[in-house]
Amino acid sequence: MTIVLHFTPDPENGRQVYDICARCHLPEAWGTEDGTYPQLAGQHRSVLLKQLLDIREGRRRSPLMRPFVQPRIVGGYQNLVDVVTYIAALPMNPAHGKGPWPEATPEYAQGKQVYQTNCAACHGQQGEGDDARRIPRLQGQHYAYMRRQAIDAKRGLREVDPGMSSVIIKLSDEQIALALNYVSRVEVPKQDLAPSPGWRNPDFSEVEK
Amino acid sequence: MTEQSRSSRRRFLQAAAALAAAPAVSHATHGASPEKAGQDTPPALARLLRKADLPEPKGPRVVIVGGGWSGLSMAKYLRLRNPGFDVVLIDRQPAFLSFPLSNAWLADQVNMEFLSHSFFEAANRHDYRFVQATVLGLDRTSRKVYTDAGTIAYDYLVLAPGIEYDYPQIGIEDPVVQEQLYHHFPGGFYSSSELLTIKRKIQAFRRGTFLLTVPSGDYRCSAAPYERACVMAALFRRRGIRGKILLLDMNNDITIMKDAFARAFNDLYGDIIDYQPSSLLAGMDLEKRIIETEFDEFPFDDAIIYPPIRASRLLEEAGIADPHSTQKTARTDPFRYHLVDDERVYVTGDSRSQPFSKGGHTANSEAQYVAEVIAGHALGREVEWRSPQTMCFSTVAIDPLRAMSHITYYRYDEASKDFAFDRIHSVEKWDVTGGQASIAWAEGMFRDMFYE
Ligand SMILES: Cc1cc2nc3c(=O)[nH]c(=O)nc-3n(C[C@H](O)[C@H](O)[C@H](O)COP(=O)(O)OP(=O)(O)OC[C@H]3O[C@@H](n4cnc5c(N)ncnc54)[C@H](O)[C@@H]3O)c2cc1C
């Protein structure tokens, strides 16, 4: 997204902007294992920015979040660039939600194959995504969230890249689940992870119970 | 509301059920043809027994009782999750009025247009049917609901009728006294007339003591009674009124964001708010305007009395309330929301049996999941449990609006076999960002239920 190039990101301001987002996404931006909320931490900046703009314009349906990304609440592009810079640099959840089939199972192997044949060309061998092409990192994302998003995309409830829709409409829900099981079990590089699931974002000092 | 009308309504329901059970009920295929009623059915009642005016369903029909936060969200997400569903939403009110943000409205921080929305627009936008009617009861054997607009058959039924006040829990059994309290000192947590009355009361208040109560038990919206005390104190100050707010809390302490509200009561409104915890109500003299607690007696000049609450009586009238539950809720599967003995009937929103905090946000996030459960049932798909969240904003100061926020997630605790709070994130500072966020939140919710 070319817009990024015109702004020098200011993560300190990003933290201030994130204050309002944290009211839903929580200070760590780790999302929920049950898939209600996505993990935002560690996602590519360009992907985050595209989602914010898509939601702002109504291209991606999220009525609840939409008012929060309007300029009158979140501010202009500078603030958006700052907040995605802040989020992208947050350490990731070391215990994200994984799919139901562990490594030794035939389902895992099947999923690996479905993933490599259909998804890896865009999302990468390790599910690492691609900042330059605005392709989401799937590695470390909650399985339940990915499955809901992918199946929504298949049913036309979320608009995604036409390349991706043409692939997923040919797959059954089960095949999609298998592929996502595989990528949910790819290890996230240690340096991207928080030290423990109990880690709390020190930038937020509000009372937490 | 009152004992009297309740019992006469129940008698009336029995009459309706008996008539429905009469043999040789004709099953007309379309429109308003009356079912055969008993010999001495008064014409006024015959109207209730014919089919309501609705086109034949195009797919499995899901009937939703109650167009509040839960029912409206259910209707939308049911259509989204299974476009084959024929969805009918029933509410007895002609229009929707939001309780969330109503405290901000008391202080003119948002207007009535912001709070009120048309059921028609929601139904048109999300492609379901809205019927303005009062649901009187149901027959689970033949799968239909009785309404004052006629009977409506269902394949799935969602009951989301919300709450009612439970005056007997504070020792007020006399229906006449209940009605006096409700009409003269309404709590503002149940019907829209209460809100309008409360605003006029505040505007008319000149001096003296304004009494507010906080109920015990899992009452609707934990923060709202404390929020209301703050907003009223701010209004007294804005208008230079020398009045006191006596906040009698039936709980032993502030039930949510304790430190922050205590700070607001002391630092911000110390000269106005008199907070009294552990104030179990022992008696009330409405003529003399005196309220008694276990240990004390307080005179007051005007009051907002929020009594404990219970699930809507409709559950009882439908014969599905569990008499042993404190709030007269139904016996439902805690994960799938249907009655334990009937997978066609679901109970959601503030009338649910699970102990989640009663909030509009809870109802909305829960509905997104329950809609998937029902769609899954119809299509033979399993859906994994997801936690609802409760997000709640509390206005603490006005001019400009400043609010705190609080979000709760839940998890199922295997040890206690019950739901427990999971992560809680409280922003216990009231600031303008919080104030703007509270409005953005409500706007997002209205967009979701009505417009997008
Ligand atoms: C002052 C105040 C502030 C609040 N602030 C917040 C907040 O900040 N955040 C938050 O999340 N929540 C808040 N809440 C709580 C929120 O309003 C409720 O939790 C929410 O309304 C519950 O939704 P529901 O659909 O279960 O019930 P309701 O919204 O009460 O809807 C029930 C509907 O059913 C209809 N109905 C009942 N019986 C029948 C019948 N027999 N036939 C036909 N129709 C029937 C009623 O007319 C009603 O429209 C607040 C509440 C109050 C009072």
Side-chain angles (χ1 to χ4, degrees):
Chain A
M1 175 140 297
T2 46
I3 293 160
V4 183
L5 303 175
H6 305 305
F7 293 87
T8 312
D10 173 359
E12 181 42 41
N13 181 51
R15 182 251 163 277
Q16 298 299 331
V17 176
Y18 187 65
D19 188 274
I20 203 163
C21 320
R23 289 165 197 258
C24 287
H25 288 283
L26 302 183
E28 296 75 34
W30 280 356
T32 50
E33 193 175 330
D34 65 17
T36 312
Y37 281 88
Q39 163 146 249
L40 304 178
Q43 185 55 273
H44 298 298
R45 294 197 311 156
S46 69
V47 171
L48 294 169
L49 190 61
K50 174 169 188 294
Q51 299 310 316
L52 294 183
L53 294 173
D54 280 0
I55 292 172
R56 176 188 275 186
E57 304 301 333
R59 282 189 297 271
R60 176 170 173 190
R61 251 182 27 88
S62 181
L64 197 50
M65 203 180 106
R66 191 170 176 188
F68 288 90
V69 284
Q70 298 307 309
R72 75 194 138 82
I73 301 284
V74 76
Y77 281 117
Q78 178 73 52
N79 277 3
L80 290 183
V81 170
D82 293 349
V83 78
V84 301
T85 304
Y86 177 76
I87 298 170
L90 284 172
M92 294 169 74
N93 185 347
H96 73 275
K98 301 184 178 60
W101 302 286
E103 251 172 74
T105 59
E107 286 88 354
Y108 175 87
Q110 257 173 287
K112 180 171 182 180
Q113 227 218 308
V114 180
Y115 181 83
Q116 285 177 337
T117 319
N118 299 284
C119 324
C122 292
H123 289 284
Q125 285 297 329
Q126 303 293 314
E128 67 276 14
D130 185 348
D131 196 23
R133 288 160 67 205
R134 278 187 269 143
I135 294 174
R137 176 183 199 171
L138 301 181
Q139 176 198 82
Q141 185 56 276
H142 300 289
Y143 167 79
Y145 182 75
M146 292 196 285
R147 200 174 72 161
R148 191 157 55 84
Q149 295 300 318
I151 288 177
D152 276 3
K154 180 178 160 184
R155 305 221 162 92
L157 296 173
R158 174 172 168 191
E159 209 177 299
V160 288
D161 186 276
M164 166 154 156
S165 12
S166 69
V167 168
I168 54 169
I169 49 169
K170 288 192 285 236
L171 299 175
S172 67
D173 289 3
E174 288 65 35
Q175 283 172 306
I176 293 173
L178 289 168
L180 291 171
N181 176 70
Y182 167 73
V183 74
S184 78
R185 289 175 173 278
V186 170
E187 247 177 71
V188 179
K190 226 181 157 75
Q191 71 268 19
D192 294 354
L193 294 176
S196 80
W199 181 84
R200 291 290 174 260
N201 187 348
D203 292 349
F204 284 76
S205 53
E206 289 91 3
V207 186
E208 284 246 340
K209 274 158 254 130
Chain B
M1 211 45 232
T2 66
E3 281 293 334
Q4 257 167 1
S5 66
R6 227 201 316 154
S7 58
S8 61
R9 203 214 260 175
R10 199 178 296 127
R11 264 203 304 282
F12 161 79
L13 267 178
Q14 273 161 1
L19 293 170
V25 172
S26 72
H27 282 285
T29 42
H30 51 75
S33 74
E35 292 177 11
K36 201 172 272 171
Q39 289 266 297
D40 31 53
T41 314
L45 291 193
R47 177 194 141 86
L48 305 179
L49 296 178
R50 71 175 195 211
K51 284 189 184 181
D53 270 326
L54 277 174
E56 282 301 302
K58 291 194 223 64
R61 176 163 276 170
V62 190
V63 172
I64 303 166
V65 180
W69 290 67
S70 181
L72 282 160
S73 310
M74 285 299 311
K76 168 186 170 167
Y77 284 95
L78 279 163
R79 288 281 305 143
L80 211 57
R81 288 294 156 199
N82 182 356
F85 277 154
D86 181 285
V87 174
V88 177
L89 177 68
I90 310 175
D91 201 291
R92 57 188 175 202
Q93 320 254 27
F96 171 90
L97 185 76
S98 170
F99 283 103
L101 271 291
S102 66
N103 284 328
W105 167 76
L106 292 178
D108 300 311
Q109 308 290 298
V110 296
N111 59 21
M112 236 334 145
E113 270 81 44
F114 185 76
L115 295 185
S116 46
H117 302 270
S118 156
F119 286 123
F120 303 159
E121 272 179 89
N124 294 345
R125 174 68 184 82
H126 300 304
D127 200 17
Y128 58 82
R129 265 167 226 292
F130 171 71
V131 176
Q132 192 194 336
T134 299
V135 173
L136 306 168
L138 43 132
D139 179 347
R140 290 198 283 134
T141 313
S142 63
R143 290 197 188 136
K144 65 184 165 200
V145 294
Y146 290 91
T147 83
D148 60 0
T151 65
I152 303 176
Y154 64 82
D155 294 290
Y156 292 94
L157 178 66
V158 179
L159 296 171
I163 56 149
E164 279 173 37
Y165 293 139
D166 194 356
Y167 290 105
Q169 259 201 61
I170 46 170
I172 301 164
E173 303 277 353
D174 183 345
V176 178
V177 181
Q178 288 182 8
E179 196 194 75
Q180 273 181 345
L181 260 185
Y182 178 49
H183 287 180
H184 293 278
F185 304 108
F189 278 80
Y190 173 64
S191 72
S192 39
S193 278
E194 293 180 75
L195 287 183
L196 300 170
T197 296
I198 286 173
K199 190 164 189 173
R200 305 262 308 173
K201 273 174 180 286
I202 298 171
Q203 281 167 347
F205 194 73
R206 293 283 171 268
R207 69 183 64 81
T209 301
F210 209 125
L211 166 71
L212 298 181
T213 65
V214 187
S216 52
D218 184 6
Y219 61 88
R220 173 174 271 185
C221 196
S222 323
Y226 305 110
E227 171 188 53
R228 191 179 279 153
C230 291
V231 168
M232 285 175 60
L235 282 171
F236 284 11
R237 185 161 298 150
R238 185 203 270 169
R239 291 173 37 219
I241 286 175
R242 283 185 328 218
K244 288 254 183 254
I245 291 168
L246 174 63
L247 184 56
L248 294 186
D249 194 336
M250 297 179 210
N251 304 284
N252 297 336
D253 210 336
I254 298 170
T255 59
I256 185 172
M257 292 190 277
K258 191 175 116 195
D259 300 339
F261 276 120
R263 235 180 333 118
F265 296 165
N266 293 323
D267 302 354
L268 224 47
Y269 304 120
D271 53 332
I272 303 174
I273 296 178
D274 175 8
Y275 175 71
Q276 300 277 348
S278 310
S279 300
L280 289 178
L281 303 192
M284 221 176 294
D285 186 329
L286 295 183
E287 295 276 291
K288 295 208 190 97
R289 303 203 171 184
I290 292 173
I291 188 157
E292 288 166 39
T293 62
E294 276 182 322
F295 307 108
D296 244 322
E297 215 181 74
F298 302 92
F300 62 88
D301 298 284
D302 209 343
I304 293 175
I305 293 175
Y306 182 6
I309 58 117
R310 47 162 296 168
S312 161
R313 283 215 166 72
L314 183 62
L315 302 188
E316 234 165 38
E317 283 157 1
I320 59 171
D322 175 0
H324 301 297
S325 72
T326 2
Q327 297 197 332
K328 309 286 184 290
T329 48
R331 296 224 309 134
T332 53
D333 180 307
F335 300 106
R336 313 191 64 74
Y337 288 79
H338 57 66
L339 298 181
V340 283
D341 60 352
D342 192 343
E343 293 195 10
R344 298 298 181 129
V345 179
Y346 294 72
V347 185
T348 62
D350 281 0
S351 51
R352 74 176 76 78
S353 352
Q354 296 91 327
F356 307 136
S357 300
K358 293 182 172 62
H361 197 106
T362 325
N364 174 274
S365 53
E366 165 186 275
Q368 300 191 29
Y369 160 71
V370 181
E372 278 184 48
V373 172
I374 299 176
H377 190 278
L379 303 166
R381 274 198 226 119
E382 274 297 313
V383 179
E384 257 177 72
W385 182 75
R386 294 206 298 275
S387 164
Q389 303 93 48
T390 304
M391 184 168 211
C392 132
F393 287 93
S394 300
T395 297
V396 174
I398 58 173
D399 310 314
L401 190 68
R402 275 166 288 159
M404 316 188 280
S405 75
H406 181 88
I407 190 165
T408 312
Y409 292 67
Y410 305 88
R411 66 187 161 79
Y412 187 71
D413 184 45
E414 283 296 341
S416 64
K417 296 260 172 291
D418 202 356
F419 294 96
F421 290 129
D422 193 9
R423 192 68 188 281
I424 294 177
H425 177 57
S426 297
V427 182
E428 302 199 347
K429 58 173 196 264
W430 47 90
D431 57 9
V432 175
T433 309
Q436 287 176 330
S438 70
I439 292 179
W441 170 81
E443 187 193 319
M445 286 286 171
F446 300 146
R447 277 176 188 259
D448 193 26
M449 296 187 288
F450 293 90
Y451 310 109
E452 275 180 18

